[in-house]
Amino acid sequence: MSSEQGRVAVITGAANGIGRGLAEYAAGLGMRLLLSDVDEAQLQALCAELQGRGVEAIACVADVGDPVQVEHLRDVAVQQFGGVDLLFNNAGVMQTGHCWEISHAQWQRMLRVNLDGVINGIRSFVPLLLAQGRPAHVINTASLAGLLSSPLMAPYNVTKQAVVALSETLHYELSQLQAQVSVSVLCPGPVASAIMASNQVAGAGAQFSELLDASIRQGMSPLELAELVFAAIAEKRFWIFPHKFFKPALQRRLQSILEERNPVFQFVEADEPGASHAAG
Ligand SMILES: NC(=O)c1ccc[n+]([C@@H]2O[C@H](COP(=O)([O-])OP(=O)(O)OC[C@H]3O[C@@H](n4cnc5c(N)ncnc54)[C@H](O)[C@@H]3O)[C@@H](O)[C@H]2O)c1
């Protein structure tokens, strides 16, 4: 029996890609699942598939950008499962283009889903997790873009770097409280998914978008990623870096900051899946 058997996981953006991989892996561990997404058809299909395998899985359509819908998601978790052990703030979308060409509405969509989504998850669920008085874990999905900025991805860089900052702050606050609630920030490189379907290409972003899509589609499998994520949760590891190729680029960035040198963008070449188009 796995140590996660019978524990409850709430996953946002669960219908596709990384969220779906996390759901399938958690189901394999015997967890009870509250799966959430705005893609109702895919969400219901996944839930039905898991239920057919005997998994206790419930679907709840919720837009993470709406605090009321995220509070409702929390209430469903309490009503149906009596509490929550793992919260995955995972839903996210993409936007490419020069930062000045991206419209106000496109910027707002990115801030709302990628950043407000995580803020709403934390505000709705962390008080519950603290009140439960037992170990619980929050996993926020950022990206390598949370550590390294690439051209033509400004709203993605901005929101993911904010998710890293938010996660670190949450970690410090929970540590100060000596809480049983811990947090991880997941910073993957390319993982096979159709996230680029959410991209509303703006201006110069078109060609770059095709390259990024190809790189992501060849990326790590979501199930392989999920295995690494659950290993990190078991160790209560804050930083989850499923790919390692970016570390020299991060070192160069930190060095340029410390030495007050202007940043220079370089593509990273590596032999990990999809790594050659990732930014450094
Ligand atoms: N695929 C990658 O290479 C990669 C790399 C680093 C980080 N990420 C991050 O991983 C997370 C999952 O992305 P993915 O690659 O699996 O993409 P995906 O498009 O396959 O999955 C994202 C899911 O989020 C859902 N979603 C979108 N807007 C939502 C909203 N407002 N409320 C609730 N759900 C919403 C979508 O319907 C979709 O099911 C995102 O935060 C993404 O930024 C992905």
Side-chain angles (χ1 to χ4, degrees), residues 81-122:
F81 291 132
V84 174
D85 299 291
L86 301 184
L87 168 67
F88 292 91
N89 288 312
N90 169 74
V93 285
M94 177 58 81
Q95 176 66 59
T96 61
H98 282 142
C99 50
W100 59 90
E101 290 176 331
I102 293 165
S103 71
H104 179 72
Q106 288 169 331
W107 269 102
Q108 290 304 310
R109 180 185 74 117
M110 290 296 287
L111 292 165
R112 186 176 180 280
V113 180
N114 289 11
L115 179 53
D116 282 353
V118 181
I119 294 171
N120 291 335
I122 289 170

Side-chain angles (χ1 to χ4, degrees), residues 137-197:
H137 203 98
V138 178
I139 304 92
N140 297 325
T141 306
S143 163
L144 290 188
L147 303 164
L148 296 166
S149 299
S150 312
L152 297 166
M153 291 177 70
Y156 198 73
N157 299 332
V158 166
T159 54
K160 294 302 184 179
Q161 288 179 33
V163 169
V164 170
L166 176 59
S167 305
E168 277 182 281
T169 310
L170 177 61
H171 170 74
Y172 296 142
E173 291 172 357
L174 292 171
S175 301
Q176 283 177 347
L177 290 179
Q178 298 184 319
Q180 294 192 67
V181 183
S182 41
V183 58
S184 296
V185 64
L186 170 59
C187 300
V191 179
S193 86
I195 192 172
M196 293 307 288

